[in-house]
């Protein structure tokens, strides 16, 4: 366990035991560093995590204080089955929000993608040119589902580096992660089936469920532990659930990464109820620290987890190449793909296989993670300066999203429309739920360059929030 996390757990236990009372001032960063023997940066990181979790609050020029109990936790919404009308409304709104982020004049805090300037475009184009010189007429056939063999072998080797043994034949190359997730869901369900999702949930899950005429059961999740396990088991007992769509690492929008124990618990629970687990793990390489967190797939002993990944968030968005480690479902996923999109672009598969065969990918990822961490910290500090005192920012290490919870009286859909008129995009909470439970929240993309334009946009966003309050 990381040193900062040890301090987070220690202080949380002390607060829960009321050693530190609500409203009481905590030791300063320097005092805590001297007492614990940790570096000042480690202590600062721990305090920031606790603040993002709502356990403590910072006061300018004063220090950190234990948060009032009333503000420490928000009541969880109950288990709910999302109505089709809500799904349709969300689907339409998602289109509008995503379209707005395409305008280069808009500050793209609402975008789902990182800054494309962070990707190694020149090296990727070199790989694309290399393979184009050797393309043969038969390559289109050789790269039909399950996809390019060399690329699948490289992916299997990367799984093996984490101790996960998969055959290249278990892996199907897809047109980005969204196709991997949609094909996986279609492979294990029929129209009318019940599917468990998180609440809040990635809007792509809501769209897929609507398109496939499925029924969604939303289970409350928070930015610390993820899905409420008691509510989840109650749902599995109450409804004939066929599948679950879960994000285990750097959740979108909340940002958390589940612990190894929680991942294993989920896998075992779904196996017990014969529920296929679709693991949305597109941010797996954007971790914090030295060790890449294991996916839930690592604990799968029955071939019950379909693990979906992509290169769109960490290497290149335009290639649209993803994959699913589908195991015993691989054949069915391939058949569905053949009947829909046919296959993933052969040149793009070949180019990625060429690029990944070098050490450039891991070198790029290391630099990318460092840059994203810096930009995320700058964005968080800028937001903290302009947000109301009772606003909360759920910020866990890794990834590039910040989840902001404003006071209940502020509607972020209204904020979204006002900000868009000012040339600023955010992703309002309405996108991530079939209910009104997160209408006071928004997702903030911190992956873009942090410059005077971004600072001015955050300041203006703060002014709009103040006006709404």
């Amino acid at each position: 366990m990381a040193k900062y996390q040890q301090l987070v757990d220690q202080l949380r236990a002390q607060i829960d035991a009321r050693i530190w009372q609500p409203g009481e001032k905590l030791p300063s960063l320097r005092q805590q560093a001297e007492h614990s023997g940790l570096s000042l940066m480690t202590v600062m990181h721990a305090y920031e995590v606790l603040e993002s979790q709502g356990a403590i609050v910072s006061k300018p020029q004063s220090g950190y204080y234990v948060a009032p109990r009333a503000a420490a936790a928000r009541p969880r919404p109950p288990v709910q089955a999302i109505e089709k009308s809500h799904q349709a409304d969300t689907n339409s709104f998602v289109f509008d929000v995503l379209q707005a982020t395409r305008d280069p004049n808009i500050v793209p805090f609402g975008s789902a993608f990182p800054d494309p300037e962070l990707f190694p475009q020149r090296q990727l184009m070199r790989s694309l040119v290399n393979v184009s010189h050797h393309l043969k007429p038969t390559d289109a056939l050789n790269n039909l589902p399950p996809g390019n063999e060399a690329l699948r072998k490289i992916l299997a080797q990367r799984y093996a580096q984490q101790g996960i043994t998969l055959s290249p034949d278990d892996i199907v190359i897809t047109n980005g992660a969204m196709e991997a997730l949609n094909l996986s869901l279609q492979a294990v369900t029929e129209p009318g089936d019940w599917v468990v999702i998180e609440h809040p949930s990635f809007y792509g899950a809501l769209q897929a469920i609507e398109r496939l005429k499925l029924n969604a059961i939303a289970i409350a999740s928070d930015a610390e532990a993820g899905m409420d396990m008691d509510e989840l088991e109650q749902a599995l007992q109450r409804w004939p659930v066929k599948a679950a769509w879960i994000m285990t690492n750097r959740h979108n929008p909340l940002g958390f990464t589940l612990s190894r124990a929680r991942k294993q618990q989920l896998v075992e629970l779904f196996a017990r109820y014969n529920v296929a687990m679709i693991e949305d793990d597109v941010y797996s390489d954007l971790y914090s620290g030295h060790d890449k967190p294991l996916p839930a797939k690592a604990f799968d002993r029955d071939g019950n987890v379909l693990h979906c990944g992509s290169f769109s968030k960490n290497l290149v968005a335009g290639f649209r190449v993803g994959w699913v480690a589908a195991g015993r479902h691989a054949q069915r996923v391939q058949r569905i793909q053949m009947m829909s999109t046919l296959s993933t672009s052969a040149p793009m598969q070949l180019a990625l296989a060429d690029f990944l065969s070098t050490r450039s990918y891991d070198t790029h990822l290391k630099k990318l993670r460092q840059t994203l961490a810096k930009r995320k910290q700058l964005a968080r500090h800028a937001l903290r300066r302009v947000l109301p005192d009772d606003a909360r920012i759920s910020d866990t290490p890794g990834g590039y999203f910040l989840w902001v919870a404003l006071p209940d009286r502020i509607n972020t859909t209204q904020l979204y429309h006002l900000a868009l008129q000012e040339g600023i995009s955010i992703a309002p909470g309405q996108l991530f739920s079939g209910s009104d439970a997160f209408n006071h929240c928004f997702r903030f993309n911190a992956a873009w360059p942090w410059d005077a334009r971004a600072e001015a946009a955050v300041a203006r966003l703060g002014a709009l929030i103040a006006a709404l309050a």
Side-chain angles (χ1 to χ4, degrees):
M1 181 184 294
K3 291 181 178 179
Y4 82 87
Q5 188 61 52
Q6 293 176 10
L7 181 57
V8 167
D9 293 345
Q10 176 186 328
L11 289 172
R12 263 229 171 255
Q14 292 173 0
I15 291 170
D16 290 342
R18 301 183 73 81
I19 295 173
W20 303 105
Q21 299 287 329
E24 187 175 357
K25 185 177 181 180
L26 291 173
S28 70
L29 297 176
R30 192 169 299 279
Q31 289 171 336
Q32 189 68 256
E34 292 174 356
H35 174 73
S36 63
L38 300 173
S39 71
L40 196 63
M41 289 301 295
T42 299
V43 174
M44 183 183 298
H45 191 181
Y47 275 38
E48 288 179 346
V49 170
L50 284 166
E51 185 182 11
S52 74
Q53 295 172 352
I56 65 176
V57 294
S58 61
K59 296 182 180 180
Q61 310 303 318
S62 179
Y64 288 88
Y65 294 77
V66 179
R69 287 289 172 180
R74 184 180 303 276
R76 291 172 178 260
V79 177
Q80 61 169 330
I82 297 177
E83 298 175 9
K84 298 294 183 184
S85 59
H86 287 311
Q87 293 182 43
D89 291 345
T90 300
N91 203 13
S92 176
F93 191 42
V94 167
F95 178 81
D96 293 340
V97 173
L98 295 183
Q99 284 293 101
T101 61
R102 296 177 59 187
D103 186 343
N105 296 314
I106 299 293
V107 182
F109 296 148
S111 171
F113 290 93
D115 175 12
E117 295 296 327
L118 298 175
F119 295 154
Q121 304 285 355
R122 184 174 300 177
Q123 296 96 313
L124 286 164
M125 289 304 105
R126 189 180 302 128
S127 288
L128 189 57
V129 170
N130 288 343
V131 301
S132 67
H133 289 321
H134 302 94
L135 278 174
K136 302 183 294 293
T138 55
D139 282 332
L141 295 175
N142 294 338
N143 291 281
L144 288 174
N148 180 265
E149 184 177 7
L151 182 55
R152 289 185 289 113
K153 283 183 177 179
I154 290 171
L155 288 170
Q157 289 166 2
R158 295 189 73 84
Y159 278 110
Q161 290 171 8
Q162 286 194 284
I164 304 170
T165 301
L166 290 175
S167 165
D169 294 335
D170 293 333
I171 299 171
V172 181
I173 306 299
T174 62
N175 288 296
M178 276 310 302
E179 186 183 46
L181 293 157
N182 277 269
L183 291 173
S184 298
L185 189 59
Q186 194 171 351
V188 297
T189 61
E190 299 290 342
D193 282 345
W194 291 92
V195 178
V196 161
I197 60 172
E198 296 152 311
H199 193 222
S201 177
F202 168 50
Y203 47 75
L206 298 171
Q207 293 174 303
I209 285 168
E210 180 188 15
R211 185 179 63 81
L212 296 174
K213 296 179 171 57
L214 300 168
N215 298 298
I217 304 168
I219 308 295
S221 299
D222 64 36
E224 296 176 47
M227 189 176 285
D228 186 301
M229 297 301 289
D230 292 335
E231 289 187 3
L232 173 59
E233 185 148 23
Q234 290 174 24
L236 296 179
Q237 293 170 351
R238 180 178 175 186
W239 283 284
V241 176
K242 291 294 183 67
W245 182 318
I246 310 290
M247 295 192 77
T248 54
N249 295 313
R250 284 150 299 281
H251 183 274
N252 178 10
L254 295 179
F256 64 80
T257 292
L258 293 178
S259 67
R260 288 169 60 108
R262 178 54 59 88
K263 291 170 184 172
Q264 184 171 2
Q265 188 180 6
L266 280 170
V267 171
E268 292 173 352
L269 181 63
F270 288 132
R272 190 158 69 245
Y273 284 90
N274 195 29
V275 173
M277 178 177 173
I278 299 168
E279 185 176 14
D280 183 351
D281 200 14
V282 298
Y283 305 99
S284 62
D285 283 318
L286 303 182
Y287 55 89
S288 175
H290 297 292
D291 299 322
K292 180 178 178 178
L294 286 172
K297 182 69 178 175
F299 307 100
D300 180 24
R301 301 293 176 264
D302 305 310
N304 206 45
V305 178
L306 295 89
H307 182 255
C308 301
S310 169
F311 297 104
S312 297
K313 302 297 193 297
N314 56 36
L315 183 59
V316 54
F319 277 25
R320 300 302 305 152
V321 177
W323 73 90
V324 51
R328 60 189 174 91
H329 301 286
Q331 288 292 326
R332 177 155 172 76
V333 169
Q334 291 178 51
R335 286 196 295 271
I336 298 171
Q337 186 184 35
M338 286 282 285
M339 291 184 291
S340 54
T341 57
L342 185 62
S343 70
T344 306
S345 166
M348 300 308 178
Q349 293 187 65
L350 290 165
L352 275 174
D354 180 82
F355 179 82
L356 294 174
S357 65
T358 71
R359 294 183 179 179
S360 299
Y361 183 45
D362 288 308
T363 301
H364 155 70
L365 287 177
K366 183 178 180 181
K367 182 179 178 181
L368 176 64
R369 288 192 290 266
Q370 291 172 347
T371 301
L372 291 177
K374 291 176 183 176
R375 291 184 178 182
K376 194 176 178 187
Q377 184 179 37
L378 289 169
R380 187 177 187 280
H381 288 324
L383 283 168
R384 178 50 60 195
R385 287 194 294 269
V386 303
L387 291 177
D389 290 341
D390 50 353
R392 291 179 293 128
I393 307 175
S394 297
D395 171 27
T396 51
Y400 52 88
F401 291 133
L402 300 169
W403 181 246
V404 180
L406 299 174
D408 287 345
R409 62 187 178 276
I410 300 176
N411 186 299
T412 56
T413 300
Q414 186 180 2
L415 174 64
Y416 160 77
H417 289 295
L418 291 172
L420 200 59
Q421 293 174 15
E422 307 261 356
I424 306 166
S425 170
I426 60 169
Q430 181 185 337
L431 287 179
F432 307 97
S433 174
S435 73
D436 298 331
F438 302 100
N439 280 7
H440 61 290
C441 302
F442 68 91
R443 188 193 69 190
F444 185 100
N445 184 332
W448 294 80
W450 202 255
D451 51 22
R453 180 179 184 234
E455 285 279 2
V458 168
R460 185 58 191 147
L461 198 60
L464 292 173
I465 291 169
L468 287 174

